[in-house]
PDB file of all heavy atoms in Angstrom:
ATOM      1  N   ALA A 249     -92.682  74.408  28.356  1.00 98.00           N
ATOM      2  CA  ALA A 249     -93.114  73.501  29.344  1.00 98.00           C
ATOM      3  C   ALA A 249     -93.292  72.030  28.745  1.00 98.00           C
ATOM      4  O   ALA A 249     -92.935  71.053  29.428  1.00 98.00           O
ATOM      5  CB  ALA A 249     -94.440  73.895  29.948  1.00 98.00           C
ATOM      6  N   SER A 250     -93.733  71.924  27.501  1.00 97.00           N
ATOM      7  CA  SER A 250     -93.960  70.659  26.882  1.00 97.00           C
ATOM      8  C   SER A 250     -92.610  69.917  26.555  1.00 97.00           C
ATOM      9  O   SER A 250     -92.511  68.721  26.547  1.00 97.00           O
ATOM     10  CB  SER A 250     -94.763  70.767  25.632  1.00 97.00           C
ATOM     11  OG  SER A 250     -94.075  71.361  24.602  1.00 97.00           O
ATOM     12  N   GLN A 251     -91.517  70.729  26.418  1.00 98.00           N
ATOM     13  CA  GLN A 251     -90.244  70.188  26.008  1.00 98.00           C
ATOM     14  C   GLN A 251     -89.278  70.043  27.187  1.00 98.00           C
ATOM     15  O   GLN A 251     -88.173  69.467  27.047  1.00 98.00           O
ATOM     16  CB  GLN A 251     -89.607  71.006  24.947  1.00 98.00           C
ATOM     17  CG  GLN A 251     -90.379  70.999  23.620  1.00 98.00           C
ATOM     18  CD  GLN A 251     -89.741  71.871  22.560  1.00 98.00           C
ATOM     19  OE1 GLN A 251     -88.524  71.941  22.365  1.00 98.00           O
ATOM     20  NE2 GLN A 251     -90.589  72.547  21.785  1.00 98.00           N
ATOM     21  N   TRP A 252     -89.702  70.469  28.403  1.00 98.00           N
ATOM     22  CA  TRP A 252     -88.921  70.324  29.588  1.00 98.00           C
ATOM     23  C   TRP A 252     -88.966  68.868  30.067  1.00 98.00           C
ATOM     24  O   TRP A 252     -89.991  68.250  29.956  1.00 98.00           O
ATOM     25  CB  TRP A 252     -89.444  71.254  30.639  1.00 98.00           C
ATOM     26  CG  TRP A 252     -88.628  71.302  31.897  1.00 98.00           C
ATOM     27  CD1 TRP A 252     -88.870  70.677  33.093  1.00 98.00           C
ATOM     28  CD2 TRP A 252     -87.425  72.020  32.054  1.00 98.00           C
ATOM     29  NE1 TRP A 252     -87.891  70.981  34.001  1.00 98.00           N
ATOM     30  CE2 TRP A 252     -86.991  71.851  33.374  1.00 98.00           C
ATOM     31  CE3 TRP A 252     -86.614  72.864  31.220  1.00 98.00           C
ATOM     32  CZ2 TRP A 252     -85.787  72.384  33.908  1.00 98.00           C
ATOM     33  CZ3 TRP A 252     -85.486  73.437  31.750  1.00 98.00           C
ATOM     34  CH2 TRP A 252     -85.097  73.179  33.031  1.00 98.00           C
ATOM     35  N   PRO A 253     -87.873  68.280  30.568  1.00 98.00           N
ATOM     36  CA  PRO A 253     -86.587  68.881  30.892  1.00 98.00           C
ATOM     37  C   PRO A 253     -85.502  68.863  29.785  1.00 98.00           C
ATOM     38  O   PRO A 253     -84.367  69.206  30.012  1.00 98.00           O
ATOM     39  CB  PRO A 253     -86.116  68.054  32.101  1.00 98.00           C
ATOM     40  CG  PRO A 253     -86.649  66.701  31.788  1.00 98.00           C
ATOM     41  CD  PRO A 253     -87.958  66.889  31.074  1.00 98.00           C
ATOM     42  N   ALA A 254     -85.852  68.349  28.573  1.00 98.00           N
ATOM     43  CA  ALA A 254     -84.900  68.199  27.513  1.00 98.00           C
ATOM     44  C   ALA A 254     -84.747  69.594  26.751  1.00 98.00           C
ATOM     45  O   ALA A 254     -83.925  69.618  25.828  1.00 98.00           O
ATOM     46  CB  ALA A 254     -85.301  67.166  26.590  1.00 98.00           C
ATOM     47  N   LEU A 255     -85.466  70.595  27.152  1.00 98.00           N
ATOM     48  CA  LEU A 255     -85.395  71.875  26.412  1.00 98.00           C
ATOM     49  C   LEU A 255     -84.005  72.418  26.234  1.00 98.00           C
ATOM     50  O   LEU A 255     -83.657  72.801  25.115  1.00 98.00           O
ATOM     51  CB  LEU A 255     -86.357  72.889  27.080  1.00 98.00           C
ATOM     52  CG  LEU A 255     -86.371  74.292  26.487  1.00 98.00           C
ATOM     53  CD1 LEU A 255     -86.866  74.263  24.996  1.00 98.00           C
ATOM     54  CD2 LEU A 255     -87.238  75.201  27.321  1.00 98.00           C
ATOM     55  N   PRO A 256     -83.138  72.510  27.314  1.00 98.00           N
ATOM     56  CA  PRO A 256     -81.806  73.055  27.098  1.00 98.00           C
ATOM     57  C   PRO A 256     -81.027  72.334  25.996  1.00 98.00           C
ATOM     58  O   PRO A 256     -80.331  72.927  25.214  1.00 98.00           O
ATOM     59  CB  PRO A 256     -81.120  72.909  28.436  1.00 98.00           C
ATOM     60  CG  PRO A 256     -82.291  72.896  29.418  1.00 98.00           C
ATOM     61  CD  PRO A 256     -83.405  72.164  28.683  1.00 98.00           C
ATOM     62  N   ARG A 257     -81.184  71.031  25.954  1.00 98.00           N
ATOM     63  CA  ARG A 257     -80.542  70.221  24.882  1.00 98.00           C
ATOM     64  C   ARG A 257     -81.009  70.636  23.520  1.00 98.00           C
ATOM     65  O   ARG A 257     -80.211  70.756  22.524  1.00 98.00           O
ATOM     66  CB  ARG A 257     -80.795  68.718  25.168  1.00 98.00           C
ATOM     67  CG  ARG A 257     -80.235  67.782  24.119  1.00 98.00           C
ATOM     68  CD  ARG A 257     -80.473  66.318  24.514  1.00 98.00           C
ATOM     69  NE  ARG A 257     -80.130  65.427  23.402  1.00 98.00           N
ATOM     70  CZ  ARG A 257     -80.187  64.082  23.523  1.00 98.00           C
ATOM     71  NH1 ARG A 257     -80.592  63.572  24.700  1.00 98.00           N
ATOM     72  NH2 ARG A 257     -79.891  63.369  22.489  1.00 98.00           N
ATOM     73  N   ALA A 258     -82.348  70.838  23.410  1.00 98.00           N
ATOM     74  CA  ALA A 258     -82.909  71.242  22.105  1.00 98.00           C
ATOM     75  C   ALA A 258     -82.355  72.595  21.675  1.00 98.00           C
ATOM     76  O   ALA A 258     -82.064  72.824  20.487  1.00 98.00           O
ATOM     77  CB  ALA A 258     -84.445  71.293  22.222  1.00 98.00           C
ATOM     78  N   LEU A 259     -82.221  73.500  22.640  1.00 98.00           N
ATOM     79  CA  LEU A 259     -81.768  74.848  22.312  1.00 98.00           C
ATOM     80  C   LEU A 259     -80.292  74.824  21.915  1.00 98.00           C
ATOM     81  O   LEU A 259     -79.878  75.514  20.962  1.00 98.00           O
ATOM     82  CB  LEU A 259     -81.924  75.719  23.499  1.00 98.00           C
ATOM     83  CG  LEU A 259     -83.381  76.070  23.899  1.00 98.00           C
ATOM     84  CD1 LEU A 259     -83.401  76.850  25.233  1.00 98.00           C
ATOM     85  CD2 LEU A 259     -84.070  76.868  22.811  1.00 98.00           C
TER      86      LEU A 259
END
Side-chain angles (χ1 to χ4, degrees):
S250 72
Q251 294 179 39
W252 187 258
L255 177 61
R257 176 176 172 178
L259 294 172

